[in-house]
Amino acid sequence: MLAAVSILHIYNLWQGSRLLEWLRRTELDANLRFSGVWGDTGDRILRLIKLKDNQRQASEESLRQLLAAVQASPHGVVILDSDSRIQWSNQTASRHLGLDPRIDVQQLIGNMLRSPAFSQYVHSKSFDHEVIIEGRLHRIDRPHKLGIQLFPYGDGRMLLLSRDVTLIEQAETMRRDFVANVSHEIRTPLTVLSGFIETLQTLFLNDSIREKYLILMEHQSNRLKSLVDDLLTLSRLEGSPFPGQRDWIAVADLFKSCEEEAQGLSERLHPSSKNRQKLAFQMHPDSLEDEIAGNKTELISAFSNLISNAIRYIPAGGQIRVKWTRTSDEAVFSVEDTGPGIAPEHFSRLSERFYRIDRSRSRDTGGTGLGLAIVKHVIQRHGGSLEIESKLNQGSKFSLHFPAARYRFQKKETVNQTESI
Ligand code: ADP
C-alpha cells in the first residue's frame, strides 16, 4: 500500500514537473499532451495565460491607438512629470518647440522653452489661460506665434498643449489696425465739421464766408459718406457668396455707366474745360456684344474705381485710355493714364486697405484709400486678377484679367481687337 502511494506520489511529481516544463517552453496555441487531472490543470492554466495575453494585447492596442490619435492632433502635446521633466511628446510638439521625442526625454521643459513669457507663466502658477510666445521659426518679417497652456493633473504632473496661433494673431493685428484706421479716417472730417459748426454757432459771419464754410462742411460730409459707402461695399464683398456664372452683363453697358460717371467726376474736379483730361473709352465694334458673367454692381464699382483713380491722380490735360480686349484665353479691362506713375516698391501694398502713396492728394480728391482693395476683391470674386504696371513720371496701367469662363462673345470672321484699337 505504502509502495503504491509512493509510486503514485512520484508519478504525480513527475507529471507536475513535466507539465511545468511544458508550460515554460510551449507556445500558447500548442496542443496539450496531458490527460487526467494534469491535463485539466494544464488546460485551465493555459486558458488563464491566454486570457491574460489577450488582455495585454488589447491594452497594448488601445495604447497604440491612443498614441496614434495624440500624434495626429494639430496640437502639440507634452507630458511632464512632477519635476517638470519631459516624459513624452508628440510630433506636433517637436515641430512647435523643436523637441526630439527620444533625446529630450527627462529634460527640464524650462531648459527647452527659453522664453521669458513662458518662465513668467510657469512662476505665476495661474494656468487657466494660455500664454503666447514666439515660435522657434519666428522672424520679424515672418512672425511665428505659439499659444502654450499647462494643465496640472495627478500628483504634480502636467500636460502641456501648444497650438500655432500665427494666423489668429495676424488676423487680430489686422483687425486692430483696421479699427484704428477707420476711427482715424472718421475722426478727421468729424473734427473739421464740429469746428465749423461751433464757429457758425458762436460768430456772426457775413453771407459769403458763411457760404464758404458750408461748402467746406459739405466737402467733409461727402468724404464721410464716401468712406462709409466704401466700408459697406467691402463688408458686402466679404460677407456674400461669390457671384455665379448665370447672370450675363453686356460690357458695352458697363462702359456706358462708367463713361457717364467719369465725365461727371472730371467736370467736378476740373470745372474749366481747358484743364480737363482727355478720356478715351475704346471698344472694338466686334466687342459691342461681349458679355461678362458676374455681378453688375460689383463690376461697375471695380471699373469706375480704376477710372476715377486715373482722373483723380493725373494732372490737367493728361490722357486716360479705357480699353476692353480679349483673346480666346482671357479678356482684359484696362485703364491707362499719363499720370505721375507709381514706384515699383508700392505695387504689392497698393490694394491694402488705407494704403496711400500721397495721402493728401488722395484726400483732396475724395479718395478713401479703399478703392483698390475693393477692385482686388471684386476681380478675385470673378476668378480673375489685378495687374499693375507703372513707371514714375510716365503713367500707370491697371488691368483686370477675366478668365475665359467668365466672358462670351459673338464669333466674327475677323476678330483682332488689340491691333485695331
Ligand atoms: P485712394 O482712395 O487713396 O485713391 P486707392 O486704394 O484707390 O485709394 O489707391 C491707393 C493708392 O494708389 C492711392 O492713394 C494712390 O497713391 C495710388 N494710385 C492709385 N491709382 C493711381 C493712379 N492711376 N496713378 C497714380 N497713383 C495711383
Side-chain angles (χ1 to χ4, degrees):
M1 180 71 180
L2 189 66
V5 169
S6 301
I7 288 169
L8 189 63
H9 185 62
I10 289 167
Y11 173 76
N12 276 341
L13 275 177
W14 176 69
Q15 280 288 66
S17 65
R18 266 185 68 218
L19 177 64
L20 204 60
E21 189 56 28
W22 184 83
L23 283 170
R24 245 185 230 133
R25 291 203 195 146
T26 193
E27 298 291 325
L28 288 182
D29 52 0
N31 282 333
L32 194 64
R33 283 181 283 116
F34 292 84
S35 56
V37 67
W38 291 109
D40 288 348
T41 311
D43 187 42
R44 183 104 190 103
I45 294 173
L46 210 54
R47 266 195 282 149
L48 275 174
I49 294 175
K50 275 187 191 166
L51 184 70
K52 286 272 170 240
D53 195 57
N54 285 345
Q55 284 173 344
R56 183 182 54 77
Q57 275 183 21
S59 56
E60 268 178 17
E61 180 56 24
S62 313
L63 183 64
R64 216 178 8 253
Q65 299 225 358
L66 185 72
L67 289 180
V70 180
Q71 284 293 13
S73 161
H75 286 78
V77 180
V78 184
I79 295 173
L80 302 171
D81 69 9
S82 50
D83 293 327
S84 297
R85 288 180 191 278
I86 298 168
Q87 295 289 289
W88 185 87
S89 59
N90 70 352
Q91 285 156 4
T92 316
S94 312
R95 251 197 345 269
H96 284 170
L97 313 173
L99 301 178
D100 185 315
R102 278 161 305 158
I103 298 174
D104 293 328
V105 168
Q106 288 302 324
Q107 290 286 350
L108 282 168
I109 189 69
N111 288 345
M112 306 307 296
L113 257 178
R114 295 191 163 276
S115 147
F118 181 68
S119 311
Q120 238 173 21
Y121 175 71
V122 172
H123 284 119
S124 75
K125 295 217 183 307
S126 129
F127 304 137
D128 53 356
H129 63 283
E130 66 179 1
V131 59
I132 308 292
I133 65 167
E134 285 171 0
R136 63 198 183 93
L137 306 173
H138 180 84
R139 282 197 342 224
I140 293 286
D141 57 339
R142 212 179 47 201
H144 180 223
K145 296 283 176 80
L146 295 173
I148 306 273
Q149 188 161 8
L150 288 168
F151 297 90
Y153 73 97
D155 44 356
R157 286 159 193 273
M158 278 197 280
L159 183 70
L160 180 152
L161 294 187
S162 64
R163 63 187 185 119
D164 193 328
V165 292
T166 310
L167 291 180
I168 300 172
E169 285 284 300
Q170 269 171 3
E172 181 55 21
T173 310
M174 274 168 69
R175 192 192 62 79
R176 269 197 304 266
D177 289 352
F178 182 67
V179 171
N181 274 324
V182 171
S183 314
H184 177 76
E185 295 290 331
I186 289 177
R187 202 178 46 201
T188 315
L190 272 183
T191 312
V192 180
L193 268 176
S194 60
F196 280 131
I197 291 171
E198 208 180 306
T199 312
L200 287 172
Q201 280 172 333
T202 50
L203 294 180
F204 182 78
L205 304 169
N206 65 37
D207 283 355
S208 77
I209 295 186
R210 203 181 154 79
E211 184 62 21
K212 209 170 115 196
Y213 277 18
L214 285 172
I215 291 171
L216 291 170
M217 286 170 78
E218 188 189 16
H219 181 71
Q220 294 302 327
S221 69
N222 283 344
R223 198 172 135 192
L224 273 176
K225 186 176 174 301
S226 309
L227 179 66
V228 173
D229 284 348
D230 278 359
L231 284 171
L232 286 174
T233 304
L234 262 183
S235 101
R236 263 196 300 271
L237 288 174
E238 281 172 352
S240 61
F242 278 29
Q245 280 173 269
R246 271 184 312 194
D247 295 332
W248 289 92
I249 303 125
V251 180
D253 284 352
L254 297 175
F255 258 56
K256 201 163 156 255
S257 309
C258 292
E259 195 167 357
E260 281 165 12
E261 210 178 299
Q263 300 292 1
L265 177 65
S266 177
E267 282 164 25
R268 266 203 314 282
L269 287 179
H270 303 285
S272 148
S273 61
K274 69 174 184 338
N275 284 342
R276 245 169 250 159
Q277 298 111 336
K278 289 176 197 60
L279 280 166
F281 281 74
Q282 299 177 328
M283 261 188 101
H284 190 276
D286 283 346
S287 296
L288 291 176
E289 286 171 36
D290 286 9
E291 293 179 316
I292 312 181
N295 180 304
K296 189 172 180 183
T297 318
E298 289 184 21
L299 291 168
I300 290 184
S301 151
F303 288 8
S304 48
N305 259 307
L306 292 182
I307 300 167
S308 80
N309 275 356
I311 297 174
R312 287 169 35 235
Y313 291 109
I314 73 169
Q319 285 185 10
I320 298 166
R321 252 193 331 168
V322 181
K323 270 204 298 193
W324 169 257
T325 53
R326 60 162 152 82
T327 62
S328 52
D329 296 331
E330 63 166 8
V332 183
F333 171 86
S334 62
V335 181
E336 201 172 349
D337 65 52
T338 55
I342 301 162
E345 64 266 25
H346 296 291
F347 287 7
S348 61
R349 300 202 59 194
L350 282 183
S351 56
E352 280 177 24
R353 294 153 188 210
F354 299 114
Y355 187 83
R356 292 149 161 144
I357 303 166
D358 184 342
R359 201 159 273 274
S360 60
R361 172 130 190 86
S362 159
R363 290 220 179 100
D364 292 348
T365 55
T368 59
L370 296 173
L372 289 178
I374 293 175
V375 173
K376 191 167 176 189
H377 261 288
V378 170
I379 189 64
Q380 282 178 344
R381 285 163 60 81
H382 286 79
S385 57
L386 164 69
E387 186 191 8
I388 303 172
E389 297 159 89
S390 189
K391 279 209 176 102
L392 262 184
N393 305 320
Q394 289 186 29
S396 313
K397 183 175 176 186
F398 290 79
S399 309
L400 300 179
H401 294 258
F402 290 89
R406 281 278 171 183
Y407 66 91
R408 65 184 184 193
F409 55 96
Q410 301 287 332
K411 274 209 168 64
K412 302 263 163 51
E413 285 307 307
T414 50
V415 176
N416 193 347
Q417 287 128 68
T418 326
E419 277 173 19
S420 36
I421 281 175

